[in-house]
Amino acid sequence: MLPSTRLATQMMQMSMQAPFVMAMRMADWLPTGEAASPRATREAGRMVTEKQAAAMESWAAFGTHAMQAWTQAMLAPMQPISTAQYERAGQAMLAPYARRVRANAARLKRRAR
């Protein structure tokens, strides 16, 4: 079963943007022999908060799709779950992370200039 074009595109974009975001953030944390700058401290806090929020949104999306699949299985036990349903679940679970990675990449790219 191959992922949909939309899901594959999201995954490809994240695979290119996430390393950039990580590198930009890690550059702030390089040891300079001084205390962390206020910007680095804010960025670290923002990173943790964003990851927690994205994880909660992703699990909520998974729960919604799991409940729909369970309901379908109970109402029509002999009908298999469609590939499209799996793809929608994957897109919904990836969306919170993809949205944040895309926004962070754009924000950090502007800051780097």
Side-chain angles (χ1 to χ4, degrees):
M1 166 173 65
L2 295 174
S4 70
T5 304
R6 183 172 175 212
L7 181 58
T9 301
Q10 277 183 325
M11 292 171 68
M12 185 182 68
Q13 287 173 339
M14 278 188 59
S15 71
M16 290 188 286
Q17 292 170 336
F20 170 78
V21 171
M22 291 168 49
M24 291 298 294
R25 284 179 164 164
M26 290 180 77
D28 284 345
W29 304 331
L30 288 175
T32 60
E34 301 173 10
S37 70
R39 182 175 77 182
T41 303
R42 274 192 316 274
E43 194 66 35
R46 181 180 191 155
M47 179 182 64
V48 171
T49 303
E50 285 178 346
K51 297 287 186 286
Q52 291 170 338
M56 295 301 290
E57 288 177 38
S58 186
W59 274 104
F62 172 74
T64 300
H65 285 280
M67 185 58 75
Q68 289 172 349
W70 180 82
T71 302
Q72 178 188 337
M74 294 298 109
L75 295 175
M78 301 305 284
Q79 187 176 28
I81 296 173
S82 72
T83 304
Q85 285 177 294
Y86 286 113
E87 290 177 6
R88 283 193 300 273
Q91 289 170 359
M93 289 177 66
L94 185 61
Y97 291 102
R99 185 174 55 251
R100 284 172 174 85
V101 168
R102 190 171 39 255
N104 282 328
R107 180 177 57 81
L108 293 170
K109 195 178 291 184
R110 282 191 307 270
R111 188 182 84 188
R113 290 181 185 171

